[in-house]
């Protein structure tokens, strides 16, 4: 029962994503063809919110519910790995018509065929974990 709040936030998040048409294949198609600002506005808002949140975390202005400071570990810089990862993520998103969050919302909406995509994404994450040490980081 202590995790019910996370379950409820997930349900609300799914409803908002559904109502905002973030899970719509057509909206994603429009975005990749540069025909609509809808998805770029949503993604841009999320990036801006993330930037503000990270700034507040780094300035120690936000604490956990227990009152502890949030420590942000700096990441290694790497242009090529970020480009390669972004290209792979974008290709998967374009081919599947959904990124990880909306995949689970689509299950909630009854789109059973998305299970194939979730299986592929899980398999890809598994293989990354297996070969992570052999990949350039």
């Amino acid at each position: 029962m202590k995790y019910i709040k996370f379950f409820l936030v997930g349900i609300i998040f799914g409803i908002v994503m559904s109502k905002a048409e973030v899970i719509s294949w057509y909206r994603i198609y429009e975005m990749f063809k540069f025909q609509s600002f809808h998805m770029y506005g949503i993604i841009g808002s999320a990036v801006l919110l993330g930037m503000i949140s990270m700034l507040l975390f780094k300035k120690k202005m936000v604490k956990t519910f227990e009152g502890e400071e949030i420590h942000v570990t700096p990441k290694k810089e790497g242009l090529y790995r970020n480009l390669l990862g972004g290209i792979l993520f974008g290709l998967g998103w374009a081919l599947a018509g959904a990124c990880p969050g909306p995949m689970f919302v689509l299950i909630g909406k009854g789109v059973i065929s998305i299970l194939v995509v979730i299986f592929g994404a899980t398999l890809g994450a598994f293989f990354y974990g297996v070969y992570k040490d052999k990949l350039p980081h």
Side-chain angles (χ1 to χ4, degrees):
M1 287 301 287
K2 67 180 182 176
Y3 297 114
I4 193 78
K5 58 187 170 195
F6 300 109
F7 183 71
L8 293 174
V9 167
I11 289 173
I12 293 168
F13 183 66
I15 291 169
V16 168
M17 285 181 34
S18 180
K19 293 294 183 185
E21 296 183 2
V22 174
I23 62 171
S24 167
W25 181 88
Y26 183 71
R27 288 290 188 183
I28 295 168
Y29 179 75
E30 281 181 330
M31 177 187 69
F32 281 112
K33 290 193 73 165
F34 301 104
Q35 294 177 337
S36 174
F37 182 75
H38 181 81
M39 291 295 285
Y40 291 112
I42 291 171
I43 294 169
S45 300
V47 169
L48 184 63
L49 181 64
M51 289 170 59
I52 293 169
S53 299
M54 291 302 292
L55 180 69
L56 293 174
F57 292 159
K58 288 181 180 180
K59 297 223 181 239
K60 303 189 185 326
M61 297 175 77
V62 178
K63 298 185 186 302
T64 65
F65 287 119
E66 289 83 28
E68 299 171 9
E69 290 183 0
I70 299 173
H71 298 284
V72 180
T73 307
K75 294 185 176 187
K76 296 178 190 174
E77 290 186 26
L79 177 66
Y80 296 114
R81 67 180 178 172
N82 289 339
L83 285 175
L84 180 62
I87 289 168
L88 287 173
F89 182 84
L91 285 173
W93 188 9
L95 290 172
C99 63
M103 288 191 306
F104 293 99
V105 176
L106 287 167
I107 288 177
K109 287 197 68 138
V111 180
I112 301 302
S113 59
I114 201 71
L115 288 173
V116 174
V117 176
I118 290 175
F119 175 74
T122 304
L123 194 63
F126 171 76
F127 280 124
Y128 173 75
V130 169
Y131 294 109
K132 183 171 107 173
D133 296 333
K134 296 176 177 88
L135 296 171
H137 284 94

